[in-house]
Structure formats: C-alpha cells, structure tokens
C-alpha cells in the first residue's frame, strides 16, 4: 500500500463565518466573572445561583480584571467551535504548561512558562511584565499556579454543565437566528479581510500579520465586548451582536460628530450658559468676550451637531440647549463603552 503527500504550501487566505455554542458558553461563563452588560441579567442570575461557589469561578475571580477573556485564547490550540464536549475534552488533556502559554496569549516565552509551572515561586525572580506588573499580582499567580491543573479540569466540567442547562438551550435557540443574521450582514460587505476585522473591532490594529485564516464569530452573550485573538497565522474576531454592527457604526459616527463639536472650551461655555436660559448671539458674545461673528460660528457647529435648538422671537434668534439630545449623547457614549 502506498501513500501520496502534497507538500506544496497553501497560501490562500481562508475566511470563516460561524456561530458557535463553544463561544457562547465561554461568553456566558465570563459573565459570571466580569459583569459587563444588562443583556444577560436573568440568565446570569440563574447561573450565579447554581455556580457562584464553583472552584473554577472562585479561582478565576482571584486573578486580575479581564483575565476571564484570556480563556478565549485557548481557541487557537483548541479550534472546536461546534462541540462544547470536544472542547472540554481537549482542555482536560492539555498540559498545564501549554494551557498557560496560550492563556497568556503566546506572549510569555515557553521557557518562562515552563519554569513558572514547575516552580511558581520563581515568579519573584522574573522581571515585571504585562501579566505580573506588581507584587500583588505576583502573589496572586504564585497561589494560582499550584492549583492550575485542578482549575483547568473544573473549568472543562463547568463549561459542559453550563451548555447542558435549560438556560443555555433556551437562549441559544432564541438567539441563534440573531447571530446568523449578523453573519449575513458581514458577508454582504465588500471589504478585504483585515479591513473587515478592523471594521468589526472599531479600530486600526497596531499588530498585524499575513494571516492565513480569519474567523468572524458573532456572540449574543459577548455584547458589548469585542475580542481579537491572533497569532502569526490566525486572526479571530469575536464580537457582541445584540445590536447590529451597522447601527453601532452609524451611532458611533454621529457620536463622533457631537463629541468633536464639544471639543472647544468656548462651545462648552456656550452650552453651560444656554443650559440656564435661552439667549441670543450678541448677549452670548458679551458674556464670553468674543465677537458676535465668532459666537455665530460656534452656534452653527453646535446646531449641526444637534446640541442646541433655535427659536425666533420677533426678529431675534434665541438659542437653548437641547437637553434631550445631550441626554441621548451621554447614553450613546455609555452604551458604546459598555458602562
């Protein structure tokens, strides 16, 4: 019996869109650690009642803020997206040193990871870096590393248990169409993969590579967070999809216009004066010490941004703050940053 091997390197870029129960289970678990939105209030409360004393939950809460999102880095070595059971089995089999290496995003050299796993106390001999910048954090990791094997196995079991709950099944059945709709929305955009990834994340990446594989994965439970997981060959974008991306993009652009209108001390002062009572341009110029023409220029910018409204009484134009629009702007900003 013979065999044939094609040794040619495949350089074609692959782009994969998918919804994933594994991602959704991780995101739902992360909500137990890092409360970030009001989309999952009912689901989170039910899971907290059942799992708040779980070993994996307790241990992860001891780690620095946002460490829960490091768990998504494990999707690079364990690319099981459709089966929580297969993901959990691979997680259990994964060597603790390998787990640490990917948990820290491949940023900590293998030799240091190995040294830390074999002797956690050596963390005090290492230079401070992103993951252990202070003595407090070093102490936390020194206590966490010896229980890493148990944490990893308990986490795997917990993810499977969450995926089997009635809460998860009800949420998945109800929200999967929303995730599929988000995928269709992305597929309709004619953009290069890297540009699309930056569009979804809402920023330009400082670190990029010639990625061979792109994943775009919507998650209801992740809302409003967005995560990019990457190494030299893979770029994975996981994004909250409770709100349509197009709507968020449009609201972001509108918010940017308004914030730009506020980026001037004189315009802020005008808003302050107009919040007390309506006034006309010449009087504002007198209060602030600017020419009427300059005040008119500032008022025009504020009007275009929808922050002030105009009322003509006789032959004089009076201006006042549009408090409803100011409130809407503040709410949009809070929503955008997930507060």
């Amino acid at each position: 019996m013979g065999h044939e091997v094609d040794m040619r390197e495949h350089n074609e870029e692959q782009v994969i869109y998918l919804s994933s129960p594994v991602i959704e289970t991780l995101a739902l678990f992360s909500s137990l650690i890092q409360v970030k939105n009001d989309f999952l209030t009912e689901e989170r409360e039910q899971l907290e009642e059942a799992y708040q004393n779980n070993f994996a939950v307790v241990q992860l809460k001891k780690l620095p803020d946002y460490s829960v999102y490091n768990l998504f880095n494990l999707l690079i070595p364990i690319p099981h997206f459709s089966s929580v059971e297969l993901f959990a089995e691979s997680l259990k089999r994964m060597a603790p040193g390998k787990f640490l290496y990917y948990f820290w995003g491949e940023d900590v050299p293998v030799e240091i990871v190995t040294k830390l796993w074999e002797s956690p106390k050596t963390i005090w001999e290492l230079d401070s870096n992103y993951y252990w910048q202070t003595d407090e954090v070093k102490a936390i990791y020194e206590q966490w590393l010896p229980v890493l094997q148990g944490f990893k196995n308990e986490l795997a079991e917990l993810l499977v248990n969450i995926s089997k709950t009635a809460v998860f099944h009800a949420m998945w059945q109800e929200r999967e169409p929303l995730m599929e709709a988000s995928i269709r929305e992305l597929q309709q955009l004619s953009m290069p993969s890297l540009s699309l990834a930056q569009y979804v994340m809402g920023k330009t990446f400082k670190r990029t590579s010639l990625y061979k594989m792109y994943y775009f994965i919507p998650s209801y439970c992740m809302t409003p967070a967005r995560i990019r997981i990457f190494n030299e060959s893979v770029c994975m974008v996981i994004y909250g999809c409770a709100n349509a991306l197009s709507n968020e993009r449009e609201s972001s652009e509108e918010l940017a216009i308004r914030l730009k209108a506020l980026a001037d001390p004189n315009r802020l002062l005008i808003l302050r004066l107009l919040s007390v009572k309506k006034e006309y341009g010449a009087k504002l110029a007198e209060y602030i010490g600017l020419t009427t023409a300059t005040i008119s220029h500032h008022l025009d910018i504020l009007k275009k941004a929808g922050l002030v409204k105009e009322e003509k009484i006789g032959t004089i134009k009076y201006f006042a703050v549009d408090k409803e629009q100011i409130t809407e702007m503040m709410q949009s900003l809070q929503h955008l940053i997930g507060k």
Side-chain angles (χ1 to χ4, degrees):
M1 182 181 292
H3 65 270
E4 184 177 85
V5 180
D6 185 350
M7 298 299 291
R8 292 174 298 176
E9 186 174 349
H10 297 278
N11 292 315
E12 289 186 6
E13 176 186 284
Q14 296 185 58
V15 182
I16 298 174
Y17 302 85
L18 57 90
S19 56
S20 165
V22 175
I23 300 293
E24 215 60 357
T25 303
L26 279 169
L28 195 53
F29 169 74
S30 73
S31 73
L32 298 177
I33 312 298
Q34 191 79 35
V35 178
K36 60 186 179 298
N37 61 54
D38 296 322
F39 292 93
L40 300 171
T41 301
E42 183 178 343
E43 292 88 347
R44 185 172 58 246
E45 288 176 353
Q46 293 183 51
L47 291 176
E48 281 178 343
E49 184 177 350
Y51 301 120
Q52 62 181 340
N53 295 320
N54 178 274
F55 181 78
V57 173
V58 172
Q59 290 299 318
L60 199 51
K61 282 184 176 181
K62 293 178 181 179
L63 298 186
D65 289 345
Y66 293 98
S67 291
V68 65
Y69 296 117
N70 289 1
L71 294 175
F72 290 89
N73 295 334
L74 298 171
L75 293 162
I76 295 290
I78 313 178
H80 291 304
F81 297 102
S82 60
S83 171
V84 178
E85 287 82 3
L86 287 178
F87 181 87
E89 287 175 12
S90 296
L91 181 57
K92 285 182 178 179
R93 292 196 302 267
M94 181 179 284
K98 186 177 181 181
F99 174 93
L100 268 180
Y101 178 66
Y102 285 102
F103 181 76
W104 284 330
E106 304 178 58
D107 290 333
V108 182
V110 174
E111 57 271 19
I112 292 180
V113 171
T114 302
K115 186 177 181 179
L116 283 172
W117 165 240
E118 294 174 348
S119 180
K121 291 185 180 297
T122 57
I123 195 169
W124 297 98
E125 303 170 7
L126 301 173
D127 293 334
S128 295
N129 75 359
Y130 179 79
Y131 294 103
W132 47 81
Q133 292 180 337
T134 66
D135 287 349
E136 180 183 2
V137 175
K138 286 183 179 180
I140 290 172
Y141 278 124
E142 183 187 9
Q143 296 297 315
W144 181 66
L145 289 169
V147 301
L148 177 58
Q149 180 70 42
F151 166 80
K152 182 171 65 69
N153 292 339
E154 287 289 335
L155 173 63
E157 291 288 346
L158 179 57
L159 293 176
V160 172
N161 289 339
I162 289 175
S163 72
K164 292 181 178 179
T165 61
V167 172
F168 181 83
H169 280 282
M171 186 205 64
W172 179 261
Q173 287 187 337
E174 182 179 355
R175 304 304 180 184
E176 188 180 20
L178 176 66
M179 292 182 270
E180 295 299 329
S182 182
I183 288 173
R184 291 193 295 272
E185 179 186 350
L186 282 192
Q187 290 175 323
Q188 292 172 0
L189 298 176
S190 300
M191 300 172 68
S193 301
L194 180 58
S195 298
L196 183 59
Q198 293 178 132
Y199 169 83
V200 175
M201 289 298 295
K203 64 180 181 180
T204 301
F205 301 151
K206 294 181 180 178
R207 294 170 57 189
T208 61
S209 179
L210 295 176
Y211 303 118
K212 293 184 178 180
M213 183 83 72
Y214 283 88
Y215 291 91
F216 294 95
I217 309 174
S219 165
Y220 179 81
C221 295
M222 184 64 68
T223 307
R226 302 175 188 188
I227 300 176
R228 179 171 73 115
I229 302 161
F230 61 96
N231 59 16
E232 290 300 314
S233 58
V234 177
C235 179
M236 192 179 300
V237 176
I238 304 169
Y239 62 97
C241 66
N243 297 310
L245 283 173
S246 56
N247 293 342
E248 288 200 358
R249 189 76 175 189
E250 290 171 5
S251 62
S252 299
E253 291 171 354
E254 292 174 3
L255 181 60
I257 292 172
R258 290 182 165 180
L259 292 175
K260 187 175 180 180
L262 292 177
D264 183 279
N266 288 317
R267 288 198 284 273
L268 287 172
L269 187 53
I270 289 172
L271 285 177
R272 172 59 183 158
L273 292 170
L274 294 181
S275 69
V276 178
K277 66 173 184 175
K278 59 186 176 185
E279 199 55 270
Y280 57 94
K283 184 60 71 173
L284 288 171
E286 181 182 333
Y287 288 151
I288 299 176
L290 298 174
T291 65
T292 302
T294 301
I295 289 293
S296 295
H297 171 71
H298 287 312
L299 285 171
D300 187 54
I301 292 173
L302 292 171
K303 278 198 304 178
K304 288 180 179 178
L307 300 177
V308 300
K309 49 190 177 182
E310 177 184 316
E311 178 186 4
K312 193 169 185 180
I313 302 177
T315 59
I316 301 176
K317 294 180 180 178
Y318 284 84
F319 300 89
V321 165
D322 192 329
K323 294 186 178 180
E324 289 185 5
Q325 293 299 319
I326 294 289
T327 299
E328 181 184 313
M329 179 186 69
M330 297 304 296
Q331 290 175 342
S332 296
L333 181 59
Q334 289 177 326
H335 172 75
L336 186 67
I337 61 178
K339 298 297 184 181

